[in-house]
Amino acid sequence: SRAMLHEEGGWPKEVDYTEAQDTMKWRKRLEKDPLFVSTVKQLTQNTVTCLESNNTIDLFEHYFHEEEPDHLPESLTMKTVAVFKDPADEQRSVTKIGWHPEGPTKIVGSYANLRFQRTSEDTPMASFIWDISERNMPLSELRTTSPLICCQYSHKNADTLLGGCYNGLLNLYDVRKGPAPVRKSAVEVSHYDPVYDVVWLQSKTGTECASVSSDGRLLFWDVRNLSEFTDECVLTDGGKDEQKTLGGTSLEWMQEAGPTKFLVGTEHGLIVSCTKRPKKQVEIGAWFGTEDRGGYGRHFGPVYSVKRNPFNPKFFVSVGDWCAKMWMEELKGPMLQTPYYPSFLTAAAWSPTRPGVFFLCRQDGRLDVWDYYYRMNEVTLSQKISDASLSSLSIQAGGSLAAVGDADGAITLMRLCDGLVQMAPNEKNLLGALFDREFKREKNLEAIKKAAGNSKKDGERGREPVAIDPVEYQAREKSFFADVGMTGDDLGTMGPGAAGGGGGGGGSPS
């Protein structure tokens, strides 16, 4: 910001630079000097290098001018669009949320009090369907004789809903025929514990579904006939001596992962993989996290949520304590996991449009967003949703809306920013490569661990007990003490019990 006045200088003292004749004489005499030419050539070489650098790199170029970055995690946001409060007077939790299959227009919320023996005759039973553009009053009511723990829309017929009740029954609703269930499952064939999760299956009729309960059974149904289940799988821990039943708390099924594969989260912190083949009994194919089956890394609490990645269905995330864990079908232990949180995690969901983004609900009322495309060591965005504990989470198929339920019966609708919705150009391939890399790493670690265990067993098997001859032992010991100028009699090693006591006095030479 300072001005500079350039004047001619650098002339010798005897030359007056204001006189043109004097400076001309000096120049002519200098140019005749033999060192002048070599000096100019040397300076020219340095100047050419600088000029070539300037021609190669434009110092004044604006890099990425007027180009928008593909991914800006620093500006990630989510905004509250609406809050739908439970019309009932008594406090109830939002146990499950389901989106309407034909677009972001309606949501169904299941309301129940899951605390043991906290329900009474006056406890409200109804659950509600909300129109997201009308937050003051629910669009319609779903009546039931026992609170709904879960409720989901049918993918094929958007007017049909299936709900799982606290008393173990399944209710089928048709909103065109009113708020009452059009069909109920028979008591004698239903679950005898609360139905914690239901899923609609892909079929020609669109009437097949599955349910899981803490009674330890995974049941398959055809809603056209709820008087009997079509198939059953008892969830066990696969013990060799006495198999124990595991109560189911969450259920995951995805057409892309294979129409016969089911993932069930259990009360014991394990995840069970079940396979349902046509005309065959449903069988358990794998136990994730159980030490008895060579696994590790089980959750310390009930697995409240298990969700497959929509872009890489072989990988799935689960929550069941203070951290979320990522698994792969071919590994018995977790491949990745988040750091432990100060509060319990209650729900998880993947983004349907971003392969590396998943959401976690916390009991301290915060919703956390992880973006593995950006970074894996810490959370990308954390936002306070409610003062109450968050209890359920559902992301709309378009990826821009998230419905979060809490323990006070409120459903908060959040709009996600474009950075959490729009996929980067090569994100799917990069995330696939990342997951494969972690899978191979875990495979290599398992192989190293297995090899180390086998070599240890072989070493133990190769060892034979060393037989000690008492007579030879005493002779060697006596010879050793004689060599060092001592006698065994002086040390008392040749008396009774010499074989037992001599070992402490000195080692026998080999």
Side-chain angles (χ1 to χ4, degrees), residues 350-396:
W350 287 97
S351 167
T353 57
R354 291 277 315 278
V357 174
F358 61 94
F359 304 82
L360 301 176
C361 285
R362 295 162 47 174
Q363 273 194 346
D364 58 2
R366 300 190 77 88
L367 177 66
D368 280 6
V369 184
W370 286 80
D371 186 353
Y372 274 0
Y373 180 66
Y374 171 53
R375 59 185 173 195
M376 300 174 64
N377 59 334
E378 60 179 311
V379 68
T380 304
L381 176 64
S382 181
Q383 187 152 327
K384 184 80 170 176
I385 303 295
S386 170
D387 292 331
S389 167
L390 302 184
S391 56
S392 53
L393 170 67
S394 183
I395 311 296
Q396 202 271 330

Side-chain angles (χ1 to χ4, degrees), residues 84-145:
F84 307 97
K85 294 185 178 179
D86 182 11
D89 296 331
E90 191 171 326
Q91 182 179 327
R92 302 184 296 171
S93 297
V94 182
T95 50
K96 271 287 187 295
I97 301 172
W99 280 93
H100 195 277
E102 294 179 358
T105 55
K106 303 171 189 173
I107 51 175
V108 56
S110 305
Y111 299 84
N113 190 342
L114 294 179
R115 294 187 179 181
F116 183 62
Q117 291 185 345
R118 291 294 180 92
T119 55
S120 62
E121 293 181 358
D122 300 329
T123 302
M125 299 293 178
S127 291
F128 302 100
I129 297 173
W130 298 87
D131 188 329
I132 64 169
S133 57
E134 175 53 57
R135 66 195 71 175
N136 295 321
M137 289 293 292
L139 183 67
S140 57
E141 180 182 0
L142 300 177
R143 294 174 188 165
T144 174
T145 54

Side-chain angles (χ1 to χ4, degrees), residues 122-440:
D122 300 329
T123 302
M125 299 293 178
S127 291
F128 302 100
I129 297 173
W130 298 87
D131 188 329
I132 64 169
S133 57
E134 175 53 57
R135 66 195 71 175
N136 295 321
M137 289 293 292
L139 183 67
S140 57
E141 180 182 0
L142 300 177
R143 294 174 188 165
T144 174
T145 54
S146 179
L148 290 179
I149 308 296
C150 52
C151 190
Q152 296 294 340
Y153 277 100
S154 168
H155 304 298
K156 202 157 189 176
N157 183 1
D159 293 317
T160 306
L161 298 99
L162 180 70
C165 298
Y166 189 81
N167 61 5
L169 299 183
L170 289 181
N171 289 353
L172 182 69
Y173 295 92
D174 190 334
V175 293
R176 296 167 296 187
K177 298 181 180 180
V182 292
R183 288 192 198 92
K184 288 184 180 182
S185 61
V187 175
E188 58 271 16
V189 297
S190 299
H191 296 281
Y192 44 86
D193 262 9
V195 181
Y196 280 102
D197 216 346
V198 294
V199 293
W200 287 91
L201 307 181
Q202 198 82 20
S203 62
K204 291 180 180 178
T205 58
T207 57
E208 295 180 12
C209 59
S211 62
V212 72
S213 166
S214 52
D215 64 359
R217 292 190 299 163
L218 171 64
L219 299 182
F220 298 89
W221 307 82
D222 190 323
V223 296
R224 294 173 297 183
N225 180 18
L226 289 177
S227 60
E228 58 179 359
F229 51 79
T230 58
D231 217 332
E232 176 187 24
C233 178
V234 178
L235 307 172
T236 61
D237 62 355
K240 295 178 181 178
D241 301 329
E242 185 179 349
Q243 294 190 351
K244 297 178 182 177
T245 303
L246 305 173
T249 50
S250 55
L251 178 61
E252 170 71 348
W253 177 86
M254 185 180 285
Q255 177 74 21
E256 293 77 12
T260 62
K261 294 181 179 179
F262 296 83
L263 289 174
V264 181
T266 66
E267 290 179 323
H268 293 69
L270 306 176
I271 300 169
V272 177
S273 175
C274 303
T275 307
K276 182 184 185 297
R277 293 187 177 90
K279 299 180 181 178
K280 286 187 179 180
Q281 190 173 2
V282 184
E283 56 185 23
I284 299 177
W287 292 262
F288 298 97
T290 174
E291 291 80 1
D292 298 338
R293 290 273 175 172
Y296 56 91
R298 67 192 292 171
H299 285 287
F300 297 114
V303 180
Y304 287 126
S305 191
V306 52
K307 297 292 181 183
R308 288 187 184 272
N309 186 300
F311 296 90
N312 300 280
K314 290 190 295 184
F315 302 92
F316 55 94
V317 70
S318 64
V319 295
D321 46 31
W322 297 270
C323 73
K325 299 184 179 184
M326 193 174 298
W327 311 72
M328 199 270 186
E329 285 182 345
E330 298 174 25
L331 295 173
K332 297 295 180 65
M335 186 179 67
L336 296 166
Q337 77 172 48
T338 65
Y340 281 92
Y341 280 94
S343 61
F344 213 79
L345 300 181
T346 55
W350 287 97
S351 167
T353 57
R354 291 277 315 278
V357 174
F358 61 94
F359 304 82
L360 301 176
C361 285
R362 295 162 47 174
Q363 273 194 346
D364 58 2
R366 300 190 77 88
L367 177 66
D368 280 6
V369 184
W370 286 80
D371 186 353
Y372 274 0
Y373 180 66
Y374 171 53
R375 59 185 173 195
M376 300 174 64
N377 59 334
E378 60 179 311
V379 68
T380 304
L381 176 64
S382 181
Q383 187 152 327
K384 184 80 170 176
I385 303 295
S386 170
D387 292 331
S389 167
L390 302 184
S391 56
S392 53
L393 170 67
S394 183
I395 311 296
Q396 202 271 330
S400 60
L401 292 174
V404 187
D406 63 27
D408 284 348
I411 298 176
T412 306
L413 191 64
M414 308 295 296
R415 185 175 297 281
L416 310 177
C417 65
D418 291 340
L420 293 172
V421 179
Q422 296 173 359
M423 192 191 307
N426 202 28
E427 182 177 353
K428 184 177 179 181
N429 295 333
L430 287 173
L431 262 297
L434 184 148
F435 289 151
D436 289 338
R437 182 194 71 201
E438 293 297 326
F439 164 65
K440 289 175 183 176

